[in-house]
Amino acid sequence: MRTHSVKIDKSKCVGCTTCIKACPNEAIRVRERKAKILDQRCIDCGVCISICPHGAIRSFHAKRDILEKYKYTVVLPDQALFGQFTKVRDPNVILTALLDIGFDAVCEPAASAELIAQFAILDSANGSAKEEPTISSCCPTILRLIRMRFSDLIPQVVDTVIPIEHAAMIARDKAVLDTGLDPKDIGVIAIVPCPSQITEAIQPETLNESVIDDCIPIVDIYSELDAAIRKVTEPKKLSRTGRRGLTHGYSGGEATARKAYNFMAVDGIQNCIRMLEEIENGNIPEADYIELNACTCGCVGGSLCVGNPFNAKLRIKKMLSPLPEYGCSYDLSEEARERIQATKELEYLPAFLLDEDRSMAYEKLTMIHEIRRMLPGIDCGSCGAPSCNAFAEDIVQGKSKYTDCVFRRNKE
Amino acid sequence: MQDIVFRSEVDGNDYQRAGEASRHTKSALKRLGLPPEIIRRVGVCMYEGEINMVIHADGGTATLTVGIDKIVIELKDHGPGIPDIDLAMQEGWSTANTEAQTLGFGAGMGLPNMKRSSDEFKIDTVVGEGTTVTMTIYIK
Ligand SMILES: Nc1ncnc2c1ncn2[C@@H]1O[C@H](COP(=O)(O)OP(=O)(O)O)[C@@H](O)[C@H]1O
Ligand code: SF4
Ligand code: SF4
Ligand SMILES: [Mg+2]
């Protein structure tokens, strides 16, 4: 069973069909006047959360009181968090405030991002890079999209873990060493910009088992953290991150950190889809690294962030200038390399497959074509499907009835 | 079992929409569970053929016929035709105008890539009448 963290609040949903067309993966239907997310199709991009005019789509995640579940907690602040607060120029202020509101330790995903980037630089110097153009693995939504719709591009995706997951592994080991506690009593908690990372924590794309215990959306912790930030007078020297790590908060940061000068950074899910189509067509001869972020501006544009992503990006940029290139000197041993390596290969997900049996699939596609010809083709959405084509597919799959189309109903 | 036929008219004046036909058919093929490598090859053939009809021939018709063991792609136009096929098939040879080049087309790799991506490749062309490119990809 695939899981995803985006859920409909039925009490708020009025069945207006706004979301079904906005979803880039045709993953929402309206049935009996309520929106329903198709589990197999949702890539957790969060577009529906941002677009629903009734606030009826939410991400499903841990509550703030989870801290009490553990004897010791380590917080992993996503890079996007650093762009959320006005007038904060020192990452240490935010990290100190995180301890002040109750976490026992911090571990920065940005430092993991720096380590991964350093290995990438080594690899490209050795010429041991991947098939070109190489596609970044930093956004879990993009990985899911590739698995469902662009599986032929899987060999081009880098096979390293997502920085926040690397940070989680490091954090737990260190916490066990520092406290002597049972790993079960240690909570490794991520503060995340998007539902995509919540799902990633539950069902990782590049790891065999999950390494993050709980996630808190940025928007849920924002006010409390903002208040704590205002009270910080003497920030503790906690940050181990330099410019190369923190830039990962916005689009283009990852590619820059890897010194992939000949890169393209694409942001926004529709742009990413278009770019993947182009790569598939063999039409990207000019770039050798392609960074894809589902959200506008990258993670600062995540649907669980606060405010305007362009502001957040500017704030991070300002924070970067006084920082060193790298926050610390990294362990570049073989052992360290193994830890950044994905332990699970990306596999094709048959979310759009009509039938396991090829000849049955052919038959269904033929039927879809025939039904499609009898529909008005105006994609009005009143049947509950995002397009006449998707509706025809739903009929053939036995999930909708012909008479759900108002035009057909009027004719009959 | 009967073949599935996709036919689309490709507008010769719309650079913006060039590639739409291949996009749509690719998304249908992905629903059949064909091997990714086959879909990719069909995509390249269809996309490059579609682009050629837009930039060199003022549009045409793209037809994709999906059988159980093979896929046939036919791109038919009533454009100027190709006077020298051997020359046109050379990597890097292009007569694309500057407008097309500004938009990133006209690298002269289309026909060679179509040939490379297909199992059978045929051009029928008559100067002044038009061009039909037919490609077959076998599903193993
Ligand atoms: N459908 C067509 N009609 C007329 N001429 C064509 C057609 N397709 C290709 N050509 C000619 O063949 C040349 C090479 O085509 P191609 O390899 O696709 O490169 P490009 O399209 O980048 O020029 C074109 O520049 C053009 O002169
Ligand atoms: S999160 Fe994205 S993929 Fe999932 S239902 Fe919402 S819009 Fe569709
Ligand atoms: S771009 Fe970043 S914030 Fe947006 S879905 Fe991907 S990982 Fe999450
Ligand atoms: Mg061409």
Side-chain angles (χ1 to χ4, degrees):
Chain A
M1 227 326 255
R2 265 193 66 69
T3 174
H4 62 92
S5 59
V6 180
K7 299 276 179 298
I8 311 282
D9 179 344
K10 283 202 173 156
S11 67
K12 289 189 180 157
C13 174
V14 299
C16 68
T17 74
T18 305
C19 58
I20 60 175
K21 288 203 178 200
C23 172
N25 219 29
E26 295 188 343
I28 315 181
R29 299 291 183 274
V30 171
R31 304 246 187 273
E32 277 141 26
R33 295 175 174 244
K34 299 287 171 195
K36 185 180 179 302
I37 296 179
L38 310 177
D39 299 334
Q40 297 304 318
R41 291 244 181 120
C42 177
I43 52 175
D44 299 273
C45 67
V47 166
C48 55
I49 297 182
S50 310
I51 208 138
C52 174
H54 304 278
I57 312 185
R58 291 250 176 275
S59 79
F60 179 78
H61 54 81
K63 292 276 163 293
R64 169 70 178 80
D65 55 21
I66 45 158
L67 292 200
E68 281 137 44
K69 250 169 58 185
Y70 306 99
K71 291 196 179 132
Y72 186 86
T73 52
V74 191
V75 61
L76 315 172
D78 186 272
Q79 289 86 313
L81 182 72
F82 295 87
Q84 307 293 309
F85 307 95
T86 47
K87 294 187 193 136
V88 179
R89 299 291 278 273
D90 176 4
N92 284 309
V93 173
I94 296 170
L95 299 177
T96 306
L98 283 167
L99 296 187
D100 292 344
I101 65 171
F103 293 100
D104 297 303
V106 295
C107 180
E108 294 162 284
S112 294
E114 282 187 357
L115 174 71
I116 295 170
Q118 283 216 328
F119 275 119
I121 294 166
L122 280 178
D123 284 352
S124 74
N126 301 338
S128 54
K130 282 217 131 194
E131 199 176 314
E132 287 179 357
T134 311
I135 301 170
S136 143
S137 66
C138 63
C139 172
T141 283
I142 298 299
L143 296 181
R144 283 172 214 129
L145 178 71
I146 290 175
R147 292 179 65 195
M148 289 180 198
R149 288 169 58 181
F150 299 95
S151 60
D152 52 329
L153 301 181
I154 288 177
Q156 282 166 251
V157 181
V158 289
D159 48 6
T160 46
V161 297
I162 295 166
I164 201 158
E165 289 176 329
H166 179 265
M169 296 188 273
I170 301 292
R172 192 178 313 273
D173 288 357
K174 185 168 185 303
V176 170
L177 259 166
D178 289 352
T179 63
L181 286 170
D182 189 318
K184 279 202 306 291
D185 292 326
I186 293 165
V188 176
I189 298 163
I191 298 188
V192 296
C194 61
S196 183
Q197 292 204 22
I198 298 178
T199 301
E200 177 65 20
I202 305 166
Q203 195 175 67
E205 295 297 330
T206 55
L207 291 173
N208 281 313
E209 52 192 44
S210 86
V211 290
I212 295 170
D213 296 312
D214 280 301
C215 292
I216 303 178
I218 290 179
V219 49
D220 284 18
I221 206 163
Y222 179 78
S223 330
E224 190 185 358
L225 192 56
D226 190 52
I229 283 170
R230 305 294 148 213
K231 286 190 205 131
V232 173
T233 45
E234 268 180 59
K236 299 192 183 79
K237 282 231 165 315
L238 296 163
S239 180
R240 299 174 57 243
T241 313
R243 294 198 297 275
R244 292 208 181 266
L246 215 53
T247 56
H248 282 64
Y250 53 82
S251 170
E254 191 215 5
T256 316
R258 299 170 74 102
K259 297 194 178 167
Y261 294 117
N262 199 18
F263 74 89
M264 285 187 193
V266 186
D267 61 333
I269 186 73
Q270 292 297 355
N271 291 333
C272 290
I273 292 172
R274 222 166 298 144
M275 184 56 80
L276 290 165
E277 301 268 6
E278 295 272 295
I279 302 173
E280 209 172 43
N281 289 336
N283 202 23
I284 309 293
E286 284 151 69
D288 44 44
Y289 193 76
I290 301 182
E291 182 186 324
L292 299 162
N293 281 288
C295 301
T296 306
C297 291
C299 298
V300 286
S303 56
L304 305 177
C305 285
V306 180
N308 169 333
F310 298 93
N311 261 337
K313 181 174 166 181
L314 181 64
R315 289 187 194 122
I316 296 182
K317 277 192 169 168
K318 284 186 188 160
M319 203 177 257
L320 294 181
S321 44
L323 296 182
E325 184 175 9
Y326 294 103
C328 54
S329 61
Y330 291 97
D331 169 14
L332 296 175
S333 66
E334 270 315 299
E335 214 185 331
R337 173 186 289 273
E338 240 166 64
R339 287 220 109 171
I340 68 161
Q341 217 52 46
T343 56
K344 189 165 87 181
E345 276 180 34
L346 296 177
E347 271 173 17
Y348 164 63
L349 282 174
F352 288 88
L353 185 62
L354 289 171
D355 204 290
E356 293 285 343
D357 176 64
R358 174 105 38 100
S359 58
M360 197 61 209
Y362 272 67
E363 242 165 71
K364 285 183 176 173
L365 190 60
T366 309
M367 272 152 59
I368 291 171
H369 262 239
E370 276 161 17
I371 295 174
R372 172 66 188 76
R373 263 198 293 270
M374 323 245 259
L375 299 173
I378 57 166
D379 299 341
C380 70
S382 54
C383 59
S387 65
C388 293
N389 218 34
F391 177 55
E393 190 173 326
D394 288 350
I395 295 177
V396 168
Q397 296 292 39
K399 290 176 184 145
S400 287
K401 297 184 305 294
Y402 214 35
T403 48
D404 290 335
C405 170
V406 274
F407 292 87
R408 297 305 313 175
R409 233 179 6 244
N410 291 344
K411 272 194 181 166
E412 271 157 23
Chain B
M1 208 202 60
Q2 80 201 80
D3 293 345
I4 310 172
V5 181
F6 299 86
R7 182 166 289 119
S8 27
E9 296 306 319
V10 177
D11 184 344
N13 295 312
D14 198 344
Y15 281 91
Q16 287 278 304
R17 288 176 60 85
E20 280 290 295
S22 74
R23 218 158 65 102
H24 283 228
T25 46
K26 237 172 16 184
S27 109
L29 292 184
K30 286 176 182 178
R31 287 165 153 79
L32 294 176
L34 297 175
E37 173 250 340
I38 299 280
I39 296 172
R40 186 164 187 165
R41 286 164 60 199
V42 172
V44 170
C45 290
M46 189 132 173
Y47 172 78
E48 291 291 352
E50 209 185 323
I51 298 290
N52 278 358
M53 292 199 299
V54 175
I55 62 178
H56 306 299
D58 207 14
T61 310
T63 311
L64 183 90
T65 309
V66 187
I68 201 82
D69 58 348
K70 68 176 184 202
I71 294 175
V72 180
I73 303 150
E74 187 202 76
L75 301 139
K76 191 181 182 66
D77 66 60
H78 300 287
I82 304 175
D84 186 339
I85 296 183
D86 289 339
L87 199 55
M89 289 304 297
Q90 276 179 23
E91 294 198 358
W93 167 263
S94 176
T95 59
N97 61 23
T98 39
E99 187 195 353
Q101 281 171 347
T102 324
L103 290 161
F105 304 125
M109 293 302 292
L111 290 174
N113 278 339
M114 287 153 83
K115 185 168 186 337
R116 202 172 305 131
S117 301
S118 54
D119 295 313
E120 284 165 22
F121 176 87
K122 186 162 94 65
I123 303 184
D124 293 306
T125 184
V126 176
V127 173
E129 284 181 24
T131 304
T132 302
V133 181
T134 314
M135 292 162 282
T136 307
I137 290 170
Y138 289 100
I139 305 165
K140 283 155 281 251

